[in-house]
Amino acid sequence: MRGRTLQRWWRNPRTKAALVVLVPVLAAALLAPLYPVSPTAQDLRATLAPPGTTSASGAFYLLGTDELGRDLTARLLHGLRASVLVGAAALSIAVVVGTTLGLLAGWFGGAVDSVVTGATETLMTLPFILLAIAVIGALGASTTVLILTLGLTGWVSFAKLVRAKTFELRNEEFVQAAHALGVRTPGKLVRHVLPNVAPLMLVDGTLQFGALVLAEAGLSFLGLGVPPPTPTLGGILAGGQVFLAVAWWIATLPGLTLLVLVLAINVLGDTLRDAAAP
Amino acid sequence: MFAYLTRRLLLSVAVLFGLSLLVFAMVNLSGDPVRLLLPPETSAAEVARFRTAMGLDDPLPVRYVRFLSHAVRLDFGASIQLRDPALELVAQRLPATLALAGLAVAAAVLIGVPLGVLTALRRNTPWDTVITSLALVGQSTPVFWVGVMSILLFAVELRWLPSSGSGTWRHLVLPVGTLTLFLLGGLVRVTRTSMLEVLDRPYVRTATSKGQLRRVVVWKHAFRNAMIPVVTQIGLQMRFVIGGSVITEQVFAYPGLGRLLVNAVYARDYPIVEAGVFLVALILIAVNTLVDLSYAWLNPKVSIA
């Protein structure tokens, strides 16, 4: 992004609002292992303790406990960490796969383009959850399968962006000039096409990150995500639904955590889009 | 028009073909299906005879062609748990899901489109700011959390509505409401963007400057044209509707297709998963084709050739 665009982005008050929320939340996710209480340690004398309880053993539960007396603060921090890490890993795969396929399709056209467009079209028609059900149903739920499923279905928007831009730039004079100067194809692609799509990719990547976090949470809620005992926000929420009438906090707090995280990401994506294309 | 339909049909066939490859690969990647079909104490000779009878000893391409020839006739075999034909079981659950999804889409359109038009006409007023912000919040909220919170409020605290199950209209209120909220945010934002774009076009400004009534300009000149991207969006959103429905059904123990599929995954009941994935894909392809055709009706200038 150029200096003026960056300045426009930074002057937007919503940018700062989003960052004020997002930076501490991401820091909490990454630093979760430093929290002194284990997310799986049980305190059977303090089960279903409401937020702000001090148990008989003297432990203080800021956000309460679940049916096994596990500290909800610790579980939410670790669940947040799983959401952020799985989302980031899936996003990296999606960006790499989408960029590569988009460059290939846009540059070579013809049969390569047809195959990539066909794959994009297939993925755009089908609900992500249905594909995930097919894949996870066959391979079983594990963190690796989850990340691969999210990553290998989330590349479509990046491929479309990169393909369109590559197609457009292929005939531009400066790319033709590079060709005339004998720059080989990979060099041309990387040096001339990628910088031109980078701002749009940043906007799309931010919004896609939010979508991937929500998708991961949905699959975990269905029991198809990261398997237990690793806490996930979707998993904690699903477990808490059973105790809704006696312990509202177990199901309520993971959803709020997700909402805060994804809203901050989406507002940030919005401000980036406003700055990139006013 | 005819050429367009042909192209569209070919593309649909290609999509289904890709999907069949995916499903076939899945089932064969996941290990030996015999293990799931026979009791664990079966003898080795028995297993071998069964494998030959089922054609599992044939090479992969032969098995794929056989799978495809069955799939074309919508024959996905019998459910491993229930022994009934998988497609029948899936088809039985379809009406419940279509009712949930159909009502939610209708409600989202009836609420979302007017709100989107309102925000566009009152651009940069408090109305616009509040509704647009709420729409973004809606888009950032996990659908299952909305469902669980609605149970907490309307079933646990107020005791107005049942928290799960199906049968009466009262069972539909919370699931439909949840799915509607899930779809609403995106719809408001798309309508707003599209309406703003159209209101800025020369023919709308011309209509205004020649003294045409504001009402006529907005509804006759702008609204109809602004609806084209909105209809596309609704078509594209159908996959989110189904995705959201799968989760919503799970939250409310609503006996639809999504819940059947999720439970089939738990039970490793592949025929059900295959039949369900195929049926939904077929429906979505049909819907997207209808959406494309509706362009011509919305905007006579668009000739699909």
Side-chain angles (χ1 to χ4, degrees), chain A residues 14-15 17-18 207 262-272, chain B residues 136 140:
Chain A
R14 300 204 306 153
T15 302
L207 296 172
V262 177
L263 184 60
I265 294 171
N266 282 345
V267 171
L268 194 69
D270 251 21
T271 61
L272 284 169
Chain B
L136 190 64
S140 312

Side-chain angles (χ1 to χ4, degrees), chain A residues 124 133 138 222 241 252 266 270, chain B residues 30 140 145 189 239 251 266:
Chain A
M124 293 256 300
I133 282 177
L222 294 176
Q241 195 185 345
T252 308
N266 282 345
D270 251 21
Chain B
S30 64
S140 312
W145 188 64
R189 284 163 63 94
R239 67 195 183 112
V251 172
Y266 295 151

Side-chain angles (χ1 to χ4, degrees), chain A residues 121 123-127 130-131 133 137-138 140 218 221-222 237 241 251-252 255 259 263 266-267 270 273, chain B residues 11 19 22 26 30 136 140-141 144-145 148-149 151 189 239 247 250-251 261 265-266 268 270 280-281 284-285:
Chain A
E121 200 82 20
L123 288 175
M124 293 256 300
T125 317
L126 297 169
L130 216 62
L131 288 167
I133 282 177
F221 175 78
L222 294 176
L237 206 154
Q241 195 185 345
T252 308
L259 172 56
L263 184 60
N266 282 345
V267 171
D270 251 21
R273 178 167 43 204
Chain B
L11 193 66
L19 192 66
L22 183 78
M26 283 308 134
S30 64
L136 190 64
S140 312
T141 314
F144 47 89
W145 188 64
V148 172
M149 288 301 104
I151 292 177
R189 284 163 63 94
R239 67 195 183 112
I247 294 181
Q250 199 69 13
V251 172
L261 285 181
V265 171
Y266 295 151
R268 310 206 131 227
Y270 301 125
V280 173
L284 288 176
I285 289 169

